């Protein structure tokens, strides 16, 4: 029985997402909830593609932030203490600072503030505020370490064109995963 429904679900999901979201022509590689008026994006922000900005509340993104492929930034939730849960819809803004790097597949939940120069590891689920220069990873995201402030506090080099950035072709990692 379930197989029968899954067959039809494959055809219905694209229709569902097409009605609920639209491709944001102003921000290549993103889908936006149809309330783009809640988006505030500064200069030189890059999107890696397939990024979902669910902006029922404000989403603010600082300059020179990099958002990788498959990131979800969500501003809406429900109160699980209510029955049914959809009777209380909670909307919280998300603020992302300047020079932040958000890795592939990360999820930023409602109400989160990510301060300048932070790094969000791939696949992390961020449900709390991230301090300046912190590197966070995991589900839920935890601070792994901090970036050296001398790296980002100094005067930044001016790169007129991102194609001028240094490209490093490296080899495989030499370390193995750690045992628990």
């Amino acid at each position: 029985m379930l197989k029968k429904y899954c067959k039809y679900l494959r055809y219905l999901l694209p229709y569902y997402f097409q009605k609920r979201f639209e491709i944001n022509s102003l921000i290549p590689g993103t889908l936006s909830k149809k309330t783009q008026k809640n988006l505030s994006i500064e200069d030189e922000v890059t999107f890696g593609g397939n990024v979902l900005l669910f902006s029922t509340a404000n989403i603010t993104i600082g300059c020179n932030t990099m958002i990788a492929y498959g990131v979800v930034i969500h501003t809406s939730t429900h109160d699980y203490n209510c029955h049914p849960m959809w009777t209380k819809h909670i909307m919280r803004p998300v603020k992302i600072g300047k020079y932040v790097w958000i890795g592939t597949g990360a999820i930023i939940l409602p109400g989160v503030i990510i301060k300048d120069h932070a790094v969000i590891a791939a696949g992390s689920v961020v449900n709390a505020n991230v301090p300046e220069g912190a590197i966070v990873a995991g589900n839920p995201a935890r601070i792994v370490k901090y970036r050296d402030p001398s790296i980002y506090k100094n005067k930044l080099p001016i790169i007129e064109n991102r194609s001028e950035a240094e490209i490093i072709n490296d080899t495989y990692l030499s370390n193995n995963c750690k045992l628990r």
Side-chain angles (χ1 to χ4, degrees), residues 121-134:
S124 296
V125 178
V126 183
N127 65 351
N129 295 339
V130 178
E132 181 177 23

Side-chain angles (χ1 to χ4, degrees), residues 47-68:
F47 294 88
N50 202 31
V51 174
L52 176 60
L53 302 172
F54 196 93
S55 58
T56 52
N58 290 341
I59 295 176
T60 305
I61 303 173
C63 69
N64 292 289
T65 290
M66 300 182 300
I67 301 175

Side-chain angles (χ1 to χ4, degrees), residues 60-109:
T60 305
I61 303 173
C63 69
N64 292 289
T65 290
M66 300 182 300
I67 301 175
Y69 183 87
V71 169
V72 175
I73 301 172
H74 210 298
T75 61
S76 178
T77 188
H78 297 280
D79 186 348
Y80 61 85
N81 290 315
C82 293
H83 180 73
M85 285 183 273
W86 51 262
T87 59
K88 190 181 255 184
H89 190 179
I90 303 166
M91 292 178 280
R92 294 184 175 129
V94 171
K95 183 176 182 182
I96 300 169
K98 300 175 181 180
Y99 298 95
V100 172
W101 176 17
I102 302 174
T104 301
I107 299 171
I108 313 300
L109 295 177

Side-chain angles (χ1 to χ4, degrees), residues 9 12 31-32 79 82 88 92 98 107 110 112 118 133 138 141 143-144 148 154 175 178:
L9 196 59
L12 292 175
L31 293 172
S32 295
D79 186 348
C82 293
K88 190 181 255 184
R92 294 184 175 129
K98 300 175 181 180
I107 299 171
V112 168
I143 298 172
V144 176
D148 180 358
N154 295 338
N175 56 333
K178 296 177 183 172

Side-chain angles (χ1 to χ4, degrees), residues 1-15:
M1 186 74 157
L2 183 60
K3 236 179 182 179
K4 179 182 174 186
Y5 289 113
C6 288
K7 178 181 170 185
Y8 296 111
L9 196 59
R10 184 176 70 195
Y11 299 106
L12 292 175
L13 279 178
Y15 176 76

